[in-house]
Every structure is written in structure tokens, then in C-alpha cells.
Amino acid sequence: AQSVTQPDIHITVSEGASLELRCNYSYGATPYLFWYVQSPGQGLQLLLKYFSGDTLVQGIKGFEAEFKRSQSSFNLRKPSVHWSDAAEYFCAVDPRGGGGFKTIFGAGTRLFVKA
Amino acid sequence: EAQVTQNPRYLITVTGKKLTVTCSQNMNHEYMSWYRQDPGLGLRQIYYSMNVEVTDKGDVPEGYKVSRKEKRNFPLILESPSPNQTSLYFCASSLSGILTYEQYFGPGTRLTVT
């Protein structure tokens, strides 16, 4: 069955430190891959997406993610975290051929930022 | 302003009392979807619609109904709510076509069924 795993339920980093959030997927072919952010009390906002091509994708708010086919991973990174990055982050996949209609989300990773 | 709106934002109801959560988008998107968010489970898709009068089940459709009579609206109907439907619900929309794919989410509706 298709699945998305975010191994870390929560992560705490100091402001200014680097960040990496992990995401692994289980699917026969490479799906379309996404990262969303949810600030407290808000809906989800798309950070970045991967369809094909360059495996390092840039997103909004200084985030980037790297697709590694051999590891079935799509980890999210940011070189220097700001206090405003404290939020919950969701990795999501869409199976190719699904037309973008079937989205599977991971359970989320909550990011805490220490001053 | 391009947006997805949901109403109500908060709702407390009793078991068995029919309710409807409305969702509306002003971006002329073909695709709309409903999700529920529960702690530790992320978002799970309830129903989606590819266009007017075209809907299909997501991963957790039991106990829910939807309709898509107009392009902009996609209401979620709970005919007989039960406590296990207490959750945070999100509506989302996007243009069809995977290369332009980006889902826009509403602000959420927090539903409590007692």
C-alpha cells in the first residue's frame, strides 16, 4: 500500500541552526512529492513540489528538498531556522497517473524553535 | 483575493443531528477535496471532485456525503454524525492538470460531536 512516513513526530532546533525534516514514501514508481506547512490555527500552505528533473528543488521561505530515488526519500532542509518557522510540516505524495486527485499525507512533524 | 472559505469554523453538535459544512473557492478551480486531520494521522482524504457533478471517494468516506452542483462549491454533509467524526476538517481546491498542481486549503472547520 502507498504510504508516507515522517519518522519524527517533533523536532526542536535553535534559532539560526540548520534543519532537516525526513520523509520516506512507499510506492512502486516515483510519485509526485510535496511539502506543506501548517502554522497554528491555519490551513496548509505548499512549500515546494517535485515532479521530475533536478532532484534538488527550491521552495518558498528559504526551504529546499532533495529527492533521492535510491532511498525513497524527500527530505526538507533549511540552512538557518527562524522563530517564525515553528509550525507543523507535512510531506505528501500523489501517485503518478492519479491526475493529482489522490494525495496521501504523512502524519506530520512539529517543529519547535528555541530562542 | 484568491481563497477557499469554509463555514462554520467551529461547530459543536450532538450525535445524529445532520449537518453541512460549506466550502467555496473563487479561483475557478476544477478540483476540490475534503480532508480530515487527526493527531498522529496527518490529513486523510474523505472525498474529492474532479469537476461539476463528478465526485469520488477518498480514503475515509464512510459517514460522509458530498455534492458538486456548482464549480465553486463543494459542501460536506454528515447525515448522522457520530463522536468518531470529531475532527478538524479542511477543504482544498486546485486547477486540474498535474503540472499546475497546487492545492489551496481553507482555514479549517473544527467539529465536535458529543
Side-chain angles (χ1 to χ4, degrees), chain A residues 30-52:
Chain A
T30 301
Y32 301 120
L33 298 158
F34 308 86
W35 275 100
Y36 286 86
V37 61
Q38 184 181 30
S39 297
Q42 304 293 315
L44 278 72
Q45 181 184 21
L46 181 68
L47 283 176
L48 47 77
K49 58 192 175 189
Y50 173 78
F51 292 157
S52 65

Side-chain angles (χ1 to χ4, degrees), chain A residues 34-112:
Chain A
F34 308 86
W35 275 100
Y36 286 86
V37 61
Q38 184 181 30
S39 297
Q42 304 293 315
L44 278 72
Q45 181 184 21
L46 181 68
L47 283 176
L48 47 77
K49 58 192 175 189
Y50 173 78
F51 292 157
S52 65
D54 193 345
T55 57
L56 185 63
V57 294
Q58 302 297 320
I60 62 172
K61 306 186 180 189
F63 285 92
E64 65 178 27
E66 185 172 14
F67 167 60
K68 292 186 177 180
R69 185 190 308 274
S70 61
Q71 299 176 19
S72 296
S73 69
F74 188 57
N75 294 348
L76 182 71
R77 301 194 295 246
K78 187 169 185 179
S80 178
V81 168
H82 187 262
W83 64 266
S84 61
D85 293 323
E88 190 154 22
Y89 292 80
F90 293 94
C91 182
V93 304
D94 259 306
R96 289 177 185 264
F101 304 133
K102 295 288 291 181
T103 306
I104 301 168
F105 286 82
T109 297
R110 185 169 295 278
L111 173 65
F112 297 95

Side-chain angles (χ1 to χ4, degrees), chain B:
Chain B
E1 179 190 356
Q3 60 182 349
V4 179
T5 56
Q6 296 179 227
N7 282 292
R9 294 288 313 277
Y10 303 90
L11 179 61
I12 301 174
T13 190
V14 296
T15 299
K17 186 176 181 181
K18 181 180 178 179
L19 67 92
T20 299
V21 183
T22 65
C23 173
S24 182
Q25 51 92 4
N26 62 1
M27 295 169 279
N28 202 35
H29 286 169
E30 292 90 356
Y31 170 75
M32 298 185 75
S33 184
W34 276 102
Y35 297 89
R36 61 178 289 173
Q37 183 180 17
D38 302 290
L41 297 176
L43 277 78
R44 293 177 293 167
Q45 192 175 45
I46 303 171
Y47 269 95
Y48 63 92
S49 170
M50 291 169 278
N51 215 323
V52 175
E53 301 291 3
V54 183
T55 63
D56 205 352
K57 297 176 181 178
D59 296 316
V60 288
E62 293 78 21
Y64 304 95
K65 286 175 56 179
V66 294
S67 68
R68 188 91 181 274
K69 293 183 169 53
E70 305 167 279
K71 198 171 188 179
R72 64 183 294 124
N73 296 323
F74 190 44
L76 179 69
I77 303 158
L78 285 72
E79 294 270 4
S80 183
S82 62
N84 65 12
Q85 293 179 297
T86 292
S87 187
L88 180 59
Y89 291 86
F90 288 100
C91 180
S93 74
S94 72
L95 289 169
S96 64
I98 193 66
L99 293 182
T100 59
Y101 178 87
E102 175 179 346
Q103 289 198 78
Y104 293 82
F105 283 81
T109 294
R110 186 167 293 282
L111 172 66
T112 302
V113 183
T114 61

